[in-house]
């Protein structure tokens, strides 16, 4: 399915990915505006400013009615069992053994009994397994197959030759939140195999987001590999010109642009995201996805769900509705984000010296812009 050979390909292209990531970071940091930004004395805060609420602990029993209708969700294949078990073990130890939010796993083929047993062995929470329908997992009829086959045979970027990878990105962009197993949910936390969580969580992020009016949560932001999305921004600009009424009044759209007004490729890595699903179900988001889908870039190029989600969040949500979970240490090949003081204190176990994304242009730009919109009279520099 979509994830076929994914882990193997990640390691094959790892040197290229690292060089590309670091090059983008270095180039960005050499821009005058960014050098000035990086000279700020950043104030570090580890604990979210949570709204104090009264939650009945009994609601977190496996059969309890949770304070938020939420689940941990992943698109996976049967061969991902070992990597997924590793992820679940960490999530259970760090958070979910105390909260028992259900898991939902979907696949383009039926899950094996071995897979189901291997997942259920690790948690007391309810686990649900689903299969994708044909509509959400196909090359649409409006795609010119001759053009598409030429693109696949000449692509010079990772996964460029893969049908399954493009189907996965299209599904994650426009169909995962519409799967019947998610119909009753208000929030989801997207998880993936072979990732690592380094920090104990002493609060419920779903409740935190609900009580504070947050719609989108992230913890890694970086520039996209632009060879995969050459026309995504121009298509977005055309969409906005046709639907200006969908833009949020206090949006973060400048976060998407460099000092010259060009698209900078900044995006939130969607392999970790905690989302109020009313955002993806909104008229603005669904109209945007349908427009992109008809443009064909998921197949003629290799548009990913991460830049699609990120552009949509920056355009259709207010700045106050997007949250940076900087307290959740996390690793996804090949990038680590780790709280700065985790080497010497706190409940995280990760090497903050190997975590560079907090100082990247996309993270700092987000924090500065959000503060300028949400708290324009602030006298302190942005928090990292």
């Amino acid at each position: 399915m979509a994830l076929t050979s994914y882990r193997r390909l990640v390691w094959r292209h790892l040197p290229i990915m690292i060089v590309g990531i670091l090059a983008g970071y270095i180039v960005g940091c050499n821009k005058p505006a960014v050098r000035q930004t990086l000279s700020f004395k950043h104030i570090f805060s580890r604990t979210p400013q949570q709204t104090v609420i009264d939650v009945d602990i009994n609601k977190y029993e496996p059969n309890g009615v949770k304070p938020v209708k939420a689940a941990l969700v992943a698109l996976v294949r049967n061969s991902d069992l070992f990597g997924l078990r590793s992820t679940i073990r960490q999530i259970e130890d760090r958070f979910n053994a105390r909260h028992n939010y259900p898991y939902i796993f979907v696949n383009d083929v039926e899950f094996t009994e071995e897979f189901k047993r291997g997942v259920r062995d690790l948690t007391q929470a309810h686990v649900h397994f689903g299969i994708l329908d044909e509509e959400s997992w196909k090359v649409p009829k409006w795609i010119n197959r001759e053009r598409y086959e030429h693109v696949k045979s000449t692509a010079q970027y990772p996964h460029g030759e893969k049908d399954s990878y493009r189907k996965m990105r299209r599904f994650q962009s426009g169909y995962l939140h519409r799967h019947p197993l998610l119909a009753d949910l208000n929030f989801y936390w997207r998880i993936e195999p072979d990732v690592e969580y380094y920090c104990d969580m002493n609060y419920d992020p779903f409740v935190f987001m609900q009580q504070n009016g947050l719609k989108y949560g992230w913890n890694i932001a970086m520039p996209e590999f632009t060879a995969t999305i050459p026309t995504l921004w121009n298509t977005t600009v055309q969409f906005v010109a046709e639907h200006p009424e969908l833009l949020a009044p206090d949006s973060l759209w400048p976060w998407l642009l460099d000092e010259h007004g060009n698209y900078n490729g900044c995006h939130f890595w969607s392999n970790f995201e905690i989302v109020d699903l009313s955002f993806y179900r909104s008229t603005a988001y669904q109209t945007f996805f349908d427009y992109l889908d008809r443009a064909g870039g998921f197949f003629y190029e290799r548009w990913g769900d991460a830049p699609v989600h990120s552009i949509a969040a920056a355009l259709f949500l207010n700045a106050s509705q997007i949250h940076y979970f900087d307290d959740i240490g996390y690793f996804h090949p090949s990038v680590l984000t780790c709280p700065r003081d985790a080497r010497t204190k706190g409940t995280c176990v990760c090497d903050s010296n190997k975590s560079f994304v907090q100082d990247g242009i996309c993270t700092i730009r987000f924090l500065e812009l959000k503060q300028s919109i949400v708290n324009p009279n602030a006298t302190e520099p942005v928090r990292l």
Side-chain angles (χ1 to χ4, degrees):
M1 64 172 283
L3 301 178
T4 301
S5 304
Y6 174 73
R7 308 300 163 195
R8 186 166 62 252
L9 283 168
V10 165
W11 289 110
R12 181 190 305 168
H13 295 284
L14 186 57
I16 298 173
M17 292 167 63
I18 293 174
V19 170
I21 289 168
L22 292 177
Y25 174 74
I26 293 168
V27 169
C29 290
N30 281 327
K31 295 179 180 179
V34 179
R35 285 200 301 270
Q36 182 178 3
T37 298
L38 291 176
S39 69
F40 289 164
K41 178 182 178 182
H42 295 116
I43 300 173
F44 182 61
S45 175
R46 285 272 51 85
T47 304
Q49 299 300 309
Q50 300 172 57
T51 300
V52 177
I53 62 170
D54 182 17
V55 176
D56 181 358
I57 193 65
N58 292 323
K59 292 184 176 181
Y60 287 120
E61 293 297 320
N63 292 319
V65 179
K66 305 297 185 290
V68 177
K69 292 181 178 180
L72 299 109
V73 179
L75 168 66
V76 285
R77 58 187 178 176
N78 287 304
S79 59
D80 285 321
L81 177 58
F82 178 73
L84 185 64
R85 278 173 53 84
S86 175
T87 296
I88 293 172
R89 177 73 277 156
Q90 293 180 62
I91 291 175
E92 288 291 305
D93 292 345
R94 299 300 194 181
F95 168 72
N96 207 43
R98 299 183 297 277
H99 295 83
N100 290 296
Y101 280 103
Y103 292 89
I104 296 174
F105 302 113
V106 295
N107 193 347
D108 71 325
V109 299
E110 293 286 352
F111 284 107
T112 64
E113 290 305 312
E114 178 186 49
F115 185 97
K116 294 177 181 179
R117 183 179 63 251
V119 168
R120 286 178 170 143
D121 283 347
L122 295 171
T123 181
Q124 297 183 74
H126 293 292
V127 184
H128 307 280
F129 302 94
I131 194 165
L132 313 184
D133 61 26
E134 181 182 1
E135 175 63 27
S136 64
W137 196 259
K138 69 177 183 180
V139 179
K141 61 184 179 182
W142 57 82
I143 297 299
N144 183 304
R145 296 304 299 236
E146 182 177 353
R147 176 183 174 187
Y148 176 40
E149 293 301 325
H150 175 73
V151 167
K152 288 194 298 180
S153 65
T154 58
Q156 298 296 310
Y157 43 76
H159 315 298
E161 77 285 5
K162 296 290 186 179
D163 269 325
S164 59
Y165 194 85
R166 288 175 168 85
K167 290 177 180 178
M168 175 179 69
R169 293 310 177 195
R170 177 177 181 257
F171 176 81
Q172 300 275 30
S173 297
Y175 289 94
L176 177 58
H177 59 275
R178 292 190 275 176
H179 192 280
L181 287 177
L182 279 67
D184 294 331
L185 298 184
N186 293 330
F187 284 83
Y188 91 157
W189 177 344
R190 183 168 149 193
I191 64 174
E192 289 201 354
D194 297 311
V195 299
E196 298 188 37
Y197 289 86
Y198 296 113
C199 304
D200 283 346
M201 297 185 66
N202 60 4
Y203 67 99
D204 183 334
F206 297 123
V207 171
F208 170 69
M209 291 188 66
Q210 183 182 69
Q211 293 294 318
N212 290 280
L214 300 168
K215 300 292 186 182
Y216 190 91
W218 60 279
N219 72 351
I220 292 179
M222 298 176 62
E224 176 63 300
F225 186 28
T226 56
T228 65
I229 54 168
T231 67
L232 176 58
W233 182 245
N234 286 341
T235 306
T236 298
V237 170
Q238 293 167 8
F239 174 83
V240 171
E242 296 178 24
H243 300 279
E245 74 284 357
L246 297 178
L247 298 183
D250 294 318
S251 73
L252 277 168
W253 67 265
W255 179 68
L256 301 168
L257 306 176
D258 63 20
E259 65 269 28
H260 303 296
N262 300 315
Y263 179 52
N264 58 22
C266 281
H267 69 297
F268 309 123
W269 273 26
S270 56
N271 46 72
F272 171 96
E273 61 179 18
I274 303 177
V275 184
D276 180 336
L277 292 171
S278 66
F279 168 46
Y280 289 156
R281 294 166 180 154
S282 68
T283 298
Y285 184 84
Q286 198 57 55
T287 305
F288 180 56
F289 169 75
D290 290 343
Y291 191 93
L292 297 181
D293 200 23
R294 282 285 176 176
F298 291 108
F299 296 95
Y300 297 142
E301 296 172 15
R302 206 210 67 191
W303 294 354
D305 50 287
V308 170
H309 287 178
S310 303
I311 290 172
L315 295 178
F316 309 135
L317 296 178
N318 290 318
S320 61
Q321 296 174 305
I322 305 176
H323 180 69
Y324 174 29
F325 280 103
D326 62 335
D327 59 317
I328 299 180
Y330 176 75
F331 175 81
H332 182 284
S334 56
V335 176
L336 162 72
T337 181
C338 177
R340 290 187 185 279
D341 51 1
R343 287 170 59 90
T344 58
K345 63 180 181 179
T347 63
C348 299
V349 181
C350 51
D351 189 350
S352 52
N353 290 342
K354 296 179 180 179
S355 175
F356 65 87
V357 292
Q358 294 98 323
D359 288 328
I361 179 62
C362 296
T363 303
I364 293 175
R365 185 103 170 103
F366 168 86
L367 293 170
E368 289 187 329
L369 281 169
K370 181 174 179 178
Q371 178 170 279
S372 72
I373 295 169
V374 175
N375 189 14
N377 297 319
T379 58
E380 293 182 340
V382 296
R383 292 181 177 272
L384 268 183

